[in-house]
Amino acid sequence: MLRLEDVHVRRGGTHALRGVSLEIEEGEIVALIGANGAGKTTTLATISGLLRPQSGRILFAPGRGEPERDLTKMRAEDIVAAGISHCPEGRQVFANLSVTENLRIGAYLRNDKAAIEKDVADIQAQFPILRSRAQLPGDRLSGGEQMMLVIGRALMSKPRLLLLDEPSLGLAPQLVEQIFDILAEIRRQGVTVLLVEQNASMALELGDRAYVLEAGSLVLHGSGRELAGNPDIQRAYLGGA
Ligand code: ATP
């Protein structure tokens, strides 16, 4: 579904991605783990067209048999329309807009009004907290509720591939579990997920496969289970001795 081929990205004076190549198959949850500054956020921003690579290709085909397109040649809004939705780091809800208005914004590229309202209702059924808080401004929600709102908003563009940047950041363990359960449910509904996480143990548990990024280069990949059992990964990312 998505293939990065030898992608290089410079940010200011930093060579942030140094030849990243990775693949995601339809229906997978793939985790991308690595230390602060490794280039995880840069990878997502480059896929979604917010950053341009200096070289390399990013090929995306929303479904089997559909033609591949090179995202590095497309505008960010065309990438959303092609089926990729990006939940950026830091739960960026619109503070003064209600929960329902925040959800509608996720459909800004669509003009099928009746279908949008049905999708808002469906998402509020899937995330009951977004129904009971429907009229509250976004900044009145707790951190976990804001994360659900951001995920719900991202689903409003009907993505085939969801990019998630650190959904567990700053959340209590119980809420992290809840968010990860939601991701598993989203996958069951047919959405493929690329998940960037500092919480490596949760990400490896949920991820079918994972890639490890260090200083702009991928150094390891494998199934979530293989990587969770790898002593180097345990030492570096799982708090092992
Ligand atoms: P974190 O978990 O801290 O977000 P990360 O793995 O997502 O880390 P990136 O944010 O992608 O890492 O950063 C990769 C590199 O790019 C780092 O060296 C960082 O200093 C640099 N960088 C990040 N943002 C900018 C920016 N706006 N301008 C210049 N360099 C940047």
Side-chain angles (χ1 to χ4, degrees):
M1 168 180 253
L2 183 78
R3 194 161 81 242
L4 275 66
E5 293 179 351
D6 199 22
V7 171
H8 287 260
V9 177
R10 288 179 195 278
R11 305 188 74 172
T14 308
H15 193 169
L17 295 187
R18 300 166 180 251
V20 167
S21 298
L22 62 80
E23 276 189 71
I24 300 174
E25 300 285 344
E26 190 176 1
E28 286 188 305
I29 296 183
V30 173
L32 181 60
I33 64 173
N36 278 334
K40 305 180 300 296
T41 295
T42 300
T43 303
L44 295 193
T46 307
I47 295 168
S48 63
L50 303 175
L51 290 173
R52 288 280 167 216
Q54 265 62 49
S55 61
R57 298 200 302 168
I58 303 179
L59 300 167
F60 175 65
R64 269 185 207 98
E66 295 188 48
E68 277 187 338
R69 299 170 76 183
D70 186 348
L71 303 182
T72 66
K73 297 184 167 43
M74 291 166 61
R75 293 180 308 167
E77 64 190 81
D78 295 332
I79 293 174
V80 176
I84 297 184
S85 190
H86 183 182
C87 292
E89 201 171 358
R91 301 195 273 281
Q92 297 172 7
V93 303
F94 293 94
N96 300 320
L97 298 183
S98 74
V99 165
T100 299
E101 287 164 339
N102 265 278
L103 287 175
R104 286 196 193 110
I105 283 181
Y108 72 105
L109 289 175
R110 300 171 49 191
N111 44 28
D112 44 346
K113 250 189 155 176
I116 290 171
E117 290 313 309
K118 179 180 180 303
D119 289 343
V120 167
D122 285 350
I123 289 197
Q124 287 175 327
Q126 188 179 350
F127 302 88
I129 201 80
L130 301 183
R131 188 166 48 200
S132 57
R133 307 261 194 276
Q135 302 310 322
L136 279 186
D139 63 355
R140 294 277 303 281
L141 302 187
S142 70
E145 291 164 357
Q146 288 190 11
M147 192 63 230
M148 290 178 205
L149 177 54
V150 168
I151 294 174
R153 191 176 65 199
L155 294 175
M156 286 295 298
S157 67
K158 299 259 173 203
R160 310 289 287 272
L161 172 64
L162 183 64
L163 311 176
L164 275 161
D165 200 344
E166 303 268 4
S168 77
L169 198 69
L171 299 184
Q174 204 185 343
L175 278 169
V176 174
E177 297 249 358
Q178 215 178 325
I179 296 290
F180 276 67
D181 287 347
I182 288 169
L183 298 185
E185 175 58 30
I186 287 171
R187 185 254 296 268
R188 267 194 294 280
Q189 293 170 4
V191 180
T192 305
V193 177
L194 175 58
L195 169 68
V196 157
E197 259 302 335
Q198 291 271 342
N199 187 333
S201 67
M202 290 291 286
L204 293 179
E205 196 181 313
L206 180 71
D208 302 300
R209 292 188 304 114
Y211 289 88
V212 182
L213 194 56
E214 274 180 24
S217 300
L218 290 172
V219 293
L220 264 179
H221 70 102
S223 72
R225 189 170 305 174
E226 271 163 20
L227 291 187
N230 177 317
D232 291 336
I233 297 291
Q234 290 175 348
R235 247 190 318 276
Y237 301 107
L238 299 174

